[in-house]
């Protein structure tokens, strides 16, 4: 029979070996993974602008082609702190901003800054605002592309870490994202409305408000609420900038 | 067993080969033992994620069998399941990290299912049933064989689902454009998980039609 001491020693050694092995693997693979995440970000931004045919392989040249300007803004005043128009676009300070950390600072009333990307498609400027929020099980994030009037949505992109496939994970599906196209985030009087994700469908809204809403996903109320809150929370921070530039 | 006896057994003896090929046919983990169904339903809408999943599971079953078999005489029986889980979990995390580093898009499609390889019954099943009682090399072959048996069914299911559901295979268009102009449509049902269950059911039906010995009395 094995003594308790042996069992403890055995378990400890196995766990420490496994931990050391995994730490080494994590450190070695990190640069590759970070590069992939950057490329994924580019794909997300281009997807919101509705550039067709972007894959992981051509994301960098496409990003450099369509994105003309990347700005870091001060959400309090709406001032542009850094305006980057050089190449390569992926070296821009705006692109290096960790949105999660900045929104954490915001929630804790500390100074923070936000990125905005300006794409040019068919001589039209399109403003891409990255978003970050909470789904049901973990973080959700995405981008919303606005027309140069800062009012109409050109396209959106969502991604999540661990929403339930088939339920909350459906925020990534085309049928959910396509609903946002053509919706507006301001009403006719210039008041900020955000985009409401409405449980039970936008039929529940007053006819005039339907242009500011989309149908929530059935079976995924909490993820839908997360998307709703993400829009409102993030877009609010861009209001001073939008006022100054529209 | 004498050492002389051990030396004489070739690496791919008949008994060892059987470990490798058995799970591909009469002892298939999915169609005969009906294990690992959950992920088989989830990742088979397209060939590419199914292929990567099959490869990942094969690597994990093979190497976890190898490691556990190598450790088997020292593992205290009272904590053997925990030790097995540590080994399997470490391997799965490693596979997940590798996928994130080298095939990021597939890793995103597989999302939680890579992590869920840990709970794939095939792996724990093979560790308990085989690796704990056999030498490392046969255990490794048994693990690889079972991973391949699992992967084979995954690929067959994904083949039908992607072909009829999306008209593509590995993302390449197979169904010609002209057919769509003539009114052919992709079957959206094939993309949904229930059709994976029906496809697996059909495979089991076909297999049992040819191998009557598999039919329970």
């Amino acid at each position: 029979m094995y003594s308790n001491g042996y069992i403890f020693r055995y378990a400890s050694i196995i766990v420490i070996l496994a931990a050391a092995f995994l730490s080494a693997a994590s450190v070695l693979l990190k640069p590759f993974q970070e590069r992939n995440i950057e490329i994924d970000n580019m794909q997300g931004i281009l997807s919101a602008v509705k550039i067709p045919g972007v894959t992981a392989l051509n994301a960098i040249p496409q990003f450099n082609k369509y994105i003309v300007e990347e700005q870091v803004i001060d959400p309090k005043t709406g001032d542009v702190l850094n305006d980057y128009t050089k190449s390569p676009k992926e070296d821009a300070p705006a692109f290096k901003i960790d949105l999660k950390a900045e929104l954490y600072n915001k929630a804790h009333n500390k100074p923070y800054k936000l990125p905005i990307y300006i794409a040019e498609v068919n001589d039209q400027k399109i403003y891409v605002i990255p978003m970050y929020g909470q789904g049901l099980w973990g973080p959700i994030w995405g981008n919303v592309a606005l027309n140069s009037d800062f009012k109409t949505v050109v396209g959106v992109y969502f991604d999540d870490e661990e929403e339930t496939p088939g339920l909350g994970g459906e925020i990534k599906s085309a049928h959910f994202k396509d609903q946002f196209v053509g919706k507006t985030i301001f009403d006719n009087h210039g008041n900020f409305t955000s985009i409401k994700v409405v449980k039970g469908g936008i039929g529940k809204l007053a006819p005039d408000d339907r242009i500011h809403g989309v149908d929530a996903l059935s079976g995924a109320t909490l993820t839908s609420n997360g998307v709703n809150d993400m829009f409102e929370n993030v877009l609010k921070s861009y209001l001073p900038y939008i006022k100054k530039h529209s | 067993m004498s050492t002389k006896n051990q030396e004489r057994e070739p690496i791919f003896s008949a008994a060892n080969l059987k470990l490798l090929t058995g799970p591909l046919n009469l002892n298939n983990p999915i169609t005969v033992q009906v294990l690992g169904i959950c992920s088989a339903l989830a990742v088979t809408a397209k060939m590419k994620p199914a292929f990567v999943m099959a490869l990942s599971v094969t690597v994990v079953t093979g190497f976890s069998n190898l490691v556990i078999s190598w450790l088997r005489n020292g593992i205290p029986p009272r904590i053997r399941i925990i030790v097995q889980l540590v080994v399997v979990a470490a391997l799965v995390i490693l596979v997940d990290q590798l996928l994130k580093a080298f095939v990021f898009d597939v890793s995103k499609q597989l999302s939680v299912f890579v992590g869920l390889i840990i709970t794939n019954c095939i792996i724990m099943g093979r560790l308990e049933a085989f690796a704990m009682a056999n030498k490392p090399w046969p255990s490794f072959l048994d693990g690889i064989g079972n991973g391949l048996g699992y992967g084979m069914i995954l690929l067959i299911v994904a083949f039908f689902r992607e072909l009829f559901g999306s008209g593509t295979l590995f993302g390449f268009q197979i169904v010609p454009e002209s057919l769509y102009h003539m009114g052919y449509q992709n079957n959206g049902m094939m993309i949904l998980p229930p059709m994976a269950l029906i496809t697996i059911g059909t495979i089991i039906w076909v297999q049992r039609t040819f191998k009557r010995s598999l039919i329970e009395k």
Side-chain angles (χ1 to χ4, degrees), chain A residues 71 73-80 116 127 129 146-151 185-187 189-194 234-246:
Chain A
Q71 297 177 335
I73 67 159
D74 179 357
K76 288 259 152 52
T77 59
D79 291 336
V80 176
I116 188 162
Y127 293 79
I129 294 174
L146 298 173
N147 249 336
S148 49
D149 62 354
F150 287 107
K151 190 176 169 191
I185 61 166
F186 290 99
D187 66 14
H189 310 291
N191 298 316
F192 176 62
T193 57
S194 182
V234 174
L235 287 180
K236 253 186 194 161
S237 303
Y238 284 89
L239 289 180
Y241 174 87
I242 292 175
K243 280 220 174 76
K244 264 196 174 165
H245 291 83
S246 58

Side-chain angles (χ1 to χ4, degrees), chain A residues 59-136:
Chain A
I60 296 174
Q62 294 283 71
F63 189 77
N64 278 285
K65 181 179 165 197
Y66 287 104
I67 302 297
V68 291
E69 213 173 331
E70 294 161 279
Q71 297 177 335
V72 180
I73 67 159
D74 179 357
K76 288 259 152 52
T77 59
D79 291 336
V80 176
L81 302 176
N82 178 290
D83 196 353
Y84 187 94
T85 52
K86 289 186 294 240
S87 288
K89 301 289 183 209
E90 60 267 32
D91 288 344
F95 194 68
K96 301 288 177 199
I97 284 182
D98 179 1
L99 196 58
K100 182 185 173 186
E102 297 299 333
L103 290 175
Y104 178 88
N105 285 343
K106 178 192 175 189
H108 290 77
N109 291 323
K110 284 188 212 152
Y112 67 110
K113 48 194 193 307
L114 292 171
I116 188 162
Y117 306 95
I118 303 166
E120 212 172 80
V121 185
N122 302 332
D123 292 331
Q124 288 284 313
K125 278 199 169 169
I126 295 173
Y127 293 79
V128 184
I129 294 174
M131 301 179 289
Y132 187 93
Q134 281 300 316
L136 170 59

Side-chain angles (χ1 to χ4, degrees), chain A residues 152-180:
Chain A
T152 316
V153 176
V154 175
V156 292
Y157 169 82
F158 298 115
D159 204 354
D160 66 74
E161 200 159 289
E162 44 194 344
E163 298 309 298
T164 319
L167 298 174
E170 289 295 295
I171 57 170
K172 299 191 287 279
S173 69
H175 73 84
F176 183 66
K177 291 188 292 191
D178 287 347
Q179 292 189 86
F180 288 82

Side-chain angles (χ1 to χ4, degrees), chain B residues 1-19 130 134-139 141:
Chain B
M1 199 188 285
S2 72
T3 47
K4 209 174 140 203
N5 220 346
Q6 275 180 336
E7 273 167 9
R8 215 184 298 143
E9 191 177 357
I11 292 178
F12 285 109
S13 64
N16 281 348
L17 266 184
K18 204 158 178 251
L19 293 173
F130 200 91
N134 286 282
K135 281 184 289 183
W137 177 244
S139 299
L141 289 181

